[in-house]
Structure formats: C-alpha cells, structure tokens
Amino acid sequence: MKLKIAIQKSGRLHEDSIKLLKECGIDINNGVNRLKTEASNFPLEVLYLRDDDIPQYVEDGVADIGIVGENVMLEKRKNALSLLPLGFGKCRLSIAVPKNSDYKDISSLEGKKIATSYPLILGDFLAKNKLNSEIHEISGSVEIAPNVGLADAICDLVSSGSTLFINNLEEKEVVLKSEAILISSDQLIPGKQQILDQLLFRIQAVKQSRKHKYILLNAPDENVERIIRLLPGMKSPTVLPLAVKGWSSIHSVVHEDDFWNIIQSLKAEGAQGILVTGIEKMIL
Ligand code: PRP
Ligand code: ZN
C-alpha cells in the first residue's frame, strides 16, 4: 500500500515541498514534466498538480494528502483536514493599488473593482469591513489587471513583493497571512493512516531541527553555572572538562531566534570558541 501525496507541479512551493520530503529521508526522483513518481525507500507516491486543484483532489480521494498554501485551502473550502503548518512558503494575501492612485485608507476601496483569484476570501474581507466593492475573478496574472484597465486594485499573494514592484503596484491592506500546510483526506483507511503517522513523525523531527541550533562553547569553570542559566537547553546542557585546567566545554541546543539574543551575554560571561551548527533531525 502507498500513501499518495499531491504537491505543486511548479511554482513557489514546489522546491521546498520536495526538499522537505528529502529531509524526511524520502528519495524521489524529481522528474520534470512527470505527473507522478514513487519514492524508492518509503511507501509514498508523489503526484505533481496545480496547487489550486490540490484540495479538490484530496477531497475526492485521488490524493490522500497534499502540500498547499493555507490561502488555497481557505479559498477552496473543500472537505479536507489541515494537519500542520510546514514553516515555508510564507506569504500574504494583500490588496494592492497602482502607485499613483489616491488611496487613503481602506474606505478608498468602496465601489472599486478588485481583481483576484481569491473571490471568497476577499468577499469575506469586504463584508467584514462593510465595503461594497466589485470582485472581478481571474485565474492568473492578476497583477496586470490595473495596468490594462480591468480593475482599480488587486487582491493577490505577495511574497518577496517583486511582482507588485515590477507592475508598479503598492501593497495597502493585508487580508491574510499564509504559509504551506499539510492537508489530508478525512477518510484514510487504517493502512494509509499508519504511513501518514510515520511521515508526520519525520516532518515534526525536521521542523524541530530547522528551528534549533547546536551550540558548543568553552568557558572558565567559575562561570559555567551562569552560562548554563543563559542556555535553555533540551533538558540540561552537557558540561565536559577541557584538557586545560579550569576550563569546561558546554554543549546545548538553542532556538535560532534566541541565539542572537544571548550571544553577547555569553561573551560577557567569558565564553570563548563559540561554535554554532545546524541540526539535521531532532526528536523531542
Ligand atoms: C503568487 C502571486 C504572484 C507571486 C508573488 O503566485 O500570484 O504572482 O506569487 O510573489 P512575489 O511577491 O515574490 O513576487 P503563486 O506562486 O501562488 O502562483 P500561482 O498563482 O500560479 O498559483
Ligand atoms: Zn496557485
């Protein structure tokens, strides 16, 4: 038995989706122009599909699970479960207007025409803000709509912002923040559920490791206690004596974000030879 996962055929999420599977130890030949491939060392079949179609395929059971932007999942409103955020593909769904427009605040959208591929999410947003704007649904290249006179504004995904920049548009309102998520069918047979559980375990280990760094440093013995207090390790840091008398080596795991906050304090406590390295897998 194989679990079928749908991932984006090409676009923003494609590379990172494949990378995640690889980091989970799953070997797939990334054949371009192929509709599907099989993993050689895990019971997984990979279907390459348009991201917008993935929730539908999961609802229909053509795919068992899928990786999509949360934005797509929220727009499509299909019968599928959102399992967990994956930490990549971060973006915003935003309303943008031409740079030279006289936009003041959100009320400037009243009565205006907004082009989008997200009519349902935009509709909810407008209703919540008591705005009567006209939603013009288009399926692709939304960013050119204002320039060709099709709309006064757009509501589209913004990631780096370069698409808006190239098209002379300015982001004004953030409707939604999004990232890639794992979704699944709500009717998996037990055998497939078991494979999914194994995959989830691996994804969690990879996600944990991405957020953390392994840190090693040397410190004078009299400061070891204080340095340990600065390091919120997994349980407690490892302390080993150095060959040089009066010095110890301390090993621990820190949150990437915390690292930059504590580095100065570590140095102030006499820490030397600080090494920080990535962690490949982490099981808590
Ligand atoms: C989105 C959006 C823009 C682009 C924005 O497309 O429609 O074209 O990404 O990214 P940027 O701010 O980095 O320029 P998406 O990747 O979802 O592709 P799709 O619309 O073809 O599904
Ligand atoms: Zn898309």
Side-chain angles (χ1 to χ4, degrees):
M1 187 177 330
K2 285 187 194 302
L3 187 72
K4 285 183 278 182
I5 183 170
I7 66 170
Q8 193 186 33
K9 191 177 168 58
S10 64
R12 280 180 321 113
L13 304 182
H14 175 80
E15 299 268 321
D16 285 338
S17 302
I18 299 223
K19 190 165 145 235
L20 176 67
L21 294 177
K22 289 218 166 111
E23 286 177 5
C24 287
I26 298 171
D27 288 332
I28 45 171
N29 3 344
N30 184 15
V32 196
N33 295 328
R34 287 176 71 174
L35 184 63
K36 59 179 184 180
T37 50
E38 278 180 15
S40 56
N41 58 355
F42 194 81
L44 193 72
E45 187 172 304
V46 184
L47 312 178
Y48 300 101
L49 299 167
R50 272 197 64 209
D51 63 340
D52 308 53
D53 297 334
I54 290 177
Q56 179 74 63
Y57 279 115
V58 171
E59 179 181 289
D60 294 345
V62 174
D64 301 308
I65 62 173
I67 296 178
V68 283
E70 194 181 8
N71 51 295
V72 170
M73 187 62 181
L74 291 172
E75 176 67 26
K76 299 300 173 185
R77 306 190 183 179
K78 298 295 175 193
N79 208 358
L81 307 172
S82 297
L83 295 184
L84 83 165
L86 297 172
F88 62 85
K90 296 205 170 144
C91 60
R92 318 178 279 283
L93 181 66
S94 291
I95 295 176
V97 299
K99 271 199 183 119
N100 55 10
S101 84
D102 53 3
Y103 189 95
K104 282 190 193 64
D105 54 39
I106 195 163
S107 68
S108 306
L109 293 171
E110 178 64 35
K112 294 285 163 54
K113 209 180 204 187
I114 309 174
T116 190
S117 314
Y118 297 86
L120 301 184
I121 297 176
L122 177 59
D124 287 350
F125 178 81
L126 294 172
K128 204 178 81 200
N129 288 286
K130 303 195 167 46
L131 289 165
N132 292 296
S133 315
E134 190 187 326
I135 298 176
H136 192 90
E137 183 179 354
I138 39 182
S139 61
S141 304
V142 171
E143 63 277 2
I144 64 164
N147 296 312
V148 297
L150 197 68
D152 306 298
I154 65 164
C155 174
D156 199 15
L157 287 194
V158 183
S159 159
S160 65
S162 66
T163 302
L164 292 187
F165 183 80
I166 291 166
N167 290 281
N168 240 334
L169 299 167
E170 229 168 9
E171 185 177 3
K172 292 297 185 189
E173 310 291 339
V174 175
V175 174
L176 176 87
K177 287 196 171 145
S178 176
E179 68 177 274
I181 59 171
L182 188 73
I183 63 169
S184 94
S185 156
D186 57 359
Q187 338 198 9
L188 288 185
I189 57 169
K192 289 194 175 189
Q193 183 64 47
Q194 224 169 33
I195 304 172
L196 174 57
D197 290 344
Q198 283 175 37
L199 179 64
L200 282 171
F201 180 84
R202 295 188 186 195
I203 291 176
Q204 298 283 18
V206 171
K207 267 187 73 184
Q208 282 298 338
S209 72
R210 283 183 182 170
K211 279 189 290 186
H212 294 84
K213 298 281 175 206
Y214 193 78
I215 182 168
L216 303 95
L217 59 84
N218 297 332
D221 286 343
E222 61 270 23
N223 292 357
V224 165
E225 283 299 320
R226 282 204 294 280
I227 287 183
I228 286 175
R229 260 179 266 132
L230 292 170
L231 294 170
M234 292 222 276
K235 266 214 183 78
S236 101
T238 308
V239 181
L240 300 165
L242 285 189
V244 185
K245 228 176 163 332
W247 283 76
S248 295
S249 165
I250 302 176
H251 300 204
S252 191
V253 171
V254 291
H255 228 271
E256 163 100 78
D257 310 333
D258 292 341
F259 170 72
W260 294 110
N261 295 327
I262 60 171
I263 179 74
Q264 293 306 335
S265 321
L266 290 174
K267 286 180 73 179
E269 293 293 351
Q272 292 182 6
I274 303 172
L275 294 181
V276 177
T277 97
I279 298 170
E280 205 175 295
K281 308 282 184 297
M282 183 164 161
I283 293 127
L284 291 173

